[in-house]
């Protein structure tokens, strides 16, 4: 699986959009971009994933560049409860080795 | 649906003791896996299973055994606990190898 690079931390004001960047310059054609988050010591929570098209769900939007070498997770109206570690993961599409490889993630702090 | 459940939530062992961490899911997911998370680190894959009767090693399998006799259950056995196995353990399941994994709440294990 391709590796990802994320800044260690960022913050944003409550109510504003949080844009979390991720670089995955060695991504291959059949690999998906996944985002998970971990609040305090809870189990990781699935947020969204995509291949090459932009994706949106009730939690967030995922913007993938045309060359697929980077992506941005957007939380449109961040709340204090969005304070967490966010993991950007590149994963092969199918097969027994299609597993998630977690890095250190980015710590998002939402301030009042 | 209860989702992915793990027991116990907390456990303290002495070096050399053995124990089994339990994981169960009620979503009829084929794919299950075990991760460990050490302080300040991302999650690392221990073992995974693509279906009943089939298991394989992940990134850090030494000192752990797994079996998958049913679709629902995927226990993780520590054969002879060591202080280096002090960690938080997460179980995950997904619908097939390319499905988005759902994580359990974790088991916090301390080995003294």
């Amino acid at each position: 699986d391709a590796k990802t690079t994320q800044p260690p931390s960022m913050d944003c004001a409550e109510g504003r959009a949080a844009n979390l960047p991720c670089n995955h310059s060695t991504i291959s054609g059949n690999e998906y971009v996944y985002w998970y988050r971990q609040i305090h010591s809870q189990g990781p929570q699935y947020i969204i994933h995509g291949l090459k098209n932009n994706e949106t769900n009730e939690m967030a939007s995922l913007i993938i560049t045309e060359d697929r070498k980077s992506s941005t997770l957007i939380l449109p109206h961040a709340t204090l409860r969005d304070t967490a570690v966010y993991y950007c993961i590149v994963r092969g599409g199918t097969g027994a080795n299609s597993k998630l490889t977690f890095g250190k993630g980015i710590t998002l702090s939402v301030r009042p | 649906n209860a989702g992915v459940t793990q027991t116990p939530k907390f456990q303290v062992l002495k070096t050399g003791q053995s124990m089994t961490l339990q994981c169960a899911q009620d979503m009829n997911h084929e794919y299950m896996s075990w991760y460990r998370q050490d302080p300040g680190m991302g999650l690392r894959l221990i073992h995974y299973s693509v279906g009943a009767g089939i298991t394989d090693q992940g990134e850090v399998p030494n000192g752990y055994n797994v079996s998958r006799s049913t679709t629902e259950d995927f226990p993780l056995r520590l054969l002879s606990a060591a202080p280096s196995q002090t960690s938080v353990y997460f179980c995950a399941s997904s619908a097939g190898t390319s499905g988005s994994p759902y994580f359990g709440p974790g088991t916090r294990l301390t080995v003294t």
Side-chain angles (χ1 to χ4, degrees):
Chain A
D1 291 344
K3 290 185 177 178
T4 62
T5 304
Q6 301 176 259
S9 63
M10 66 175 291
D11 63 21
C12 76
E14 189 177 18
R16 303 296 294 270
N19 297 293
L20 286 70
C22 180
N23 286 323
H24 30 79
S25 57
T26 59
I27 193 171
S28 59
N30 66 344
E31 290 180 318
Y32 287 74
V33 179
Y34 278 75
W35 283 84
Y36 277 77
R37 73 179 183 184
Q38 190 172 24
I39 297 173
H40 198 41
S41 299
Q42 298 175 22
Q45 177 188 23
Y46 167 80
I47 301 173
I48 198 167
H49 75 283
L51 183 63
K52 52 184 178 182
N53 296 324
N54 297 338
E55 302 287 345
T56 296
N57 62 21
E58 64 279 4
M59 288 183 68
S61 295
L62 174 61
I63 308 298
I64 303 174
T65 57
E66 192 169 341
D67 63 8
R68 304 213 317 125
K69 293 184 177 182
S70 65
S71 61
T72 301
L73 179 74
I74 301 173
L75 308 179
H77 305 286
T79 70
L80 298 179
R81 287 180 294 180
D82 291 323
T83 293
V85 179
Y86 287 77
Y87 296 96
C88 169
I89 302 160
V90 170
R91 181 193 194 197
T94 60
N97 289 323
S98 176
K99 55 190 179 294
L100 299 174
T101 301
F102 286 78
K104 294 186 178 181
I106 177 172
T107 299
L108 172 67
S109 300
V110 180
R111 60 180 187 274
Chain B
N1 284 351
V4 180
T5 58
Q6 293 183 239
T7 56
K9 290 186 178 179
F10 301 93
Q11 182 70 49
V12 178
L13 291 178
K14 294 188 187 306
T15 297
Q17 287 184 315
S18 62
M19 80 157 295
T20 300
L21 308 186
Q22 301 292 344
C23 174
Q25 51 91 9
D26 61 359
M27 298 173 283
N28 202 31
H29 285 170
E30 301 163 3
Y31 188 86
M32 296 186 74
S33 53
W34 276 102
Y35 291 82
R36 62 176 286 175
Q37 185 174 32
D38 300 316
M41 303 275 291
L43 280 74
R44 293 184 291 169
L45 182 65
I46 305 172
H47 284 285
Y48 64 95
S49 168
V50 299
I54 306 169
T55 63
D56 206 346
Q57 297 180 351
E59 182 185 355
V60 288
N62 292 340
Y64 307 95
N65 271 1
V66 292
S67 60
R68 185 94 179 272
S69 56
T70 67
T71 299
E72 296 77 19
D73 301 296
F74 190 43
L76 177 73
R77 280 183 289 277
L78 279 71
L79 309 173
S80 177
S84 61
Q85 293 179 304
T86 293
S87 190
V88 182
Y89 292 84
F90 293 102
C91 177
S93 75
S94 62
T97 54
S98 58
S100 304
Y102 291 86
F103 285 81
T107 294
R108 189 174 298 273
L109 176 68
T110 301
V111 182
T112 61

